[in-house]
Amino acid sequence: MTSANADKMGSMNIGNLGTFLRGYFEKNRTVYEMGVQKMGFLGGVFPTRTLSIPKIELRWQAGVAGRMNVALDAPVEDSRWEMKETSKELTWDKFAFTITDSATDAIAVNNMLRTGIKNSANYFAALRDYRIITELREKNNTNCTHNADAVWTDSAAQVEEDIIQAIQGIVQYSGGLNPETASFGVIYPAKAMMGLDALGLIGNVQMTVKEYLKKTWKINFYPYSPAKFGSDGAEVVDVKNDTSSDALGTNAVVFVEGEDTLECGQYYGSGIKMSETTRIHDVGYKTTLRHSFGCLAKPLYDDTTFTTPLIYEIGNVTT
């Protein structure tokens, strides 16, 4: 994440404070966006491409035109497949902060700007994770779900069996996936961490569930805690509408990492300022940052529901 540094501005006044703020984000926007991607705990799991329009579009081939054991001049059954497409419109997210006229020295400007950068980046990163988790939960195949027999922190829970059942379901219904080379991810509520991190006897060996599963597969674990952006610590992701930030609920999601499962896109606008600093009379300078990010699961097999068996949901892993 780029750092705030107003030291080179010398003595601050209202005029050069505005000049500094406007120039800062124009020069450092790319570095800022890279920092946002790294701050999200799911930022590196799925690829993010830059979009030319505020819309993600995916196309794939439904059906296969292949034939086997045919004569050299036999025709291909090219009527047995078709191109499908799905898309999602992106929306705009915004975050604003104010640096007041009282910030007349470099130290004060740095402190206020650093706080604004950090808070805005945290907000946009949390939105990225929120959208990814929401899309994963919406697009798992109907065959790829089951409820845990007990919450994962309960002594009767079989956490490793739940996750193994999920991986088996992904392999079974995806067709052709090699579990030895695939990279799996598990997103689960943070309050279920004891179920995966506590030591226990597995096969007469004391180890954690994470250690046991990592001995067999390439698998990454992502404990999820909803963002708390309410002034009172409430779990909200939109402070005006009090929209809940809990995208996961009491469930866990097991998935195949990478672009075969889900693709993310970011739109930087055509002729649109991604940051804008304006003067508030007798108060200071208000900076508004804009962010447009979305994601879309890649369908597999389904003609109408656009789901994929590369995503598996386990219900009721917590209360």
Side-chain angles (χ1 to χ4, degrees), residues 93-235:
D93 309 313
K94 297 182 180 181
F95 189 98
F97 62 91
T98 300
I99 295 182
T100 62
D101 290 343
S102 62
T104 55
D105 60 75
I107 294 177
V109 173
N110 281 340
N111 287 340
M112 289 187 180
L113 182 55
R114 188 180 299 111
T115 299
I117 291 171
K118 180 181 178 181
N119 290 346
S120 64
N122 280 333
Y123 181 70
F124 291 141
L127 283 180
R128 294 167 78 100
D129 292 337
Y130 176 89
R131 288 199 169 100
I132 290 172
I133 294 172
T134 300
E135 181 70 7
L136 289 172
R137 294 191 64 199
E138 287 179 353
K139 298 298 177 64
N140 71 297
N141 187 273
T142 54
N143 293 308
C144 295
T145 183
H146 78 270
N147 289 327
D149 290 332
V151 296
W152 280 1
T153 53
D154 192 282
S155 59
Q158 299 292 328
V159 182
E160 68 278 9
E161 290 186 9
D162 283 329
I163 296 175
I164 291 171
Q165 182 177 339
I167 293 176
Q168 176 178 297
I170 290 173
V171 175
Q172 177 181 350
Y173 290 106
S174 62
L177 179 72
N178 185 351
E180 303 301 323
T181 58
S183 178
F184 296 97
V186 181
I187 305 171
Y188 59 98
K191 65 179 182 178
M193 288 178 64
M194 283 292 293
L196 289 99
D197 292 317
L199 287 172
L201 285 177
I202 302 178
N204 294 322
V205 178
Q206 192 174 51
M207 66 177 71
T208 68
V209 170
K210 282 184 181 179
E211 290 172 333
Y212 172 71
L213 292 173
K214 285 186 174 184
K215 286 179 178 293
T216 306
W217 296 293
K218 182 180 179 183
I219 187 167
N220 298 304
F221 295 89
Y222 306 97
Y224 174 72
S225 178
K228 297 175 174 61
F229 292 121
S231 58
D232 59 350
E235 293 179 350

Side-chain angles (χ1 to χ4, degrees), residues 156-318:
Q158 299 292 328
V159 182
E160 68 278 9
E161 290 186 9
D162 283 329
I163 296 175
I164 291 171
Q165 182 177 339
I167 293 176
Q168 176 178 297
I170 290 173
V171 175
Q172 177 181 350
Y173 290 106
S174 62
L177 179 72
N178 185 351
E180 303 301 323
T181 58
S183 178
F184 296 97
V186 181
I187 305 171
Y188 59 98
K191 65 179 182 178
M193 288 178 64
M194 283 292 293
L196 289 99
D197 292 317
L199 287 172
L201 285 177
I202 302 178
N204 294 322
V205 178
Q206 192 174 51
M207 66 177 71
T208 68
V209 170
K210 282 184 181 179
E211 290 172 333
Y212 172 71
L213 292 173
K214 285 186 174 184
K215 286 179 178 293
T216 306
W217 296 293
K218 182 180 179 183
I219 187 167
N220 298 304
F221 295 89
Y222 306 97
Y224 174 72
S225 178
K228 297 175 174 61
F229 292 121
S231 58
D232 59 350
E235 293 179 350
V236 296
V237 75
D238 185 309
V239 294
K240 181 178 181 179
N241 298 315
D242 289 334
T243 304
S244 172
S245 60
D246 189 358
L248 192 58
T250 61
N251 298 348
V253 178
V254 183
F255 58 94
V256 176
E257 297 186 349
E259 61 183 359
D260 288 338
T261 301
L262 184 143
E263 188 170 298
C264 301
Q266 185 153 354
Y267 178 62
Y268 292 98
S270 177
I272 299 173
K273 285 188 174 182
M274 301 303 288
S275 62
E276 190 168 346
T277 298
T278 56
R279 173 76 185 156
I280 303 175
H281 175 70
D282 203 33
V283 175
Y285 287 90
K286 179 180 179 179
T287 295
T288 298
L289 301 175
R290 300 182 179 95
H291 188 261
S292 184
F293 172 89
C295 52
L296 190 60
K298 288 190 174 180
L300 191 64
Y301 308 135
D302 294 349
D303 287 335
T304 56
T305 57
F306 301 137
T307 65
T308 172
L310 299 182
I311 305 168
Y312 194 109
E313 186 164 20
I314 305 172
N316 302 328
V317 303
T318 62

Side-chain angles (χ1 to χ4, degrees), residues 15-85:
N16 61 19
L17 175 58
T19 300
F20 168 73
L21 292 174
R22 292 188 183 95
Y24 176 84
F25 281 104
E26 289 178 4
K27 295 177 181 178
N28 296 285
R29 184 69 195 197
T30 301
V31 178
Y32 174 84
E33 291 292 349
M34 290 174 62
V36 170
Q37 291 187 37
K38 291 180 180 179
M39 290 180 71
F41 82 118
L42 294 174
V45 177
F46 301 105
T48 299
R49 60 186 175 95
T50 300
L51 304 173
S52 58
I53 58 174
K55 184 178 184 180
I56 301 178
E57 297 177 311
L58 297 178
R59 293 175 176 83
W60 74 100
Q61 178 178 308
V64 177
R67 295 181 63 192
M68 64 179 291
N69 299 330
V70 298
L72 178 61
D73 55 356
V76 175
E77 294 290 340
D78 53 7
S79 64
R80 301 296 180 92
W81 70 276
E82 60 180 320
M83 292 301 296
K84 296 282 188 176
E85 65 178 70

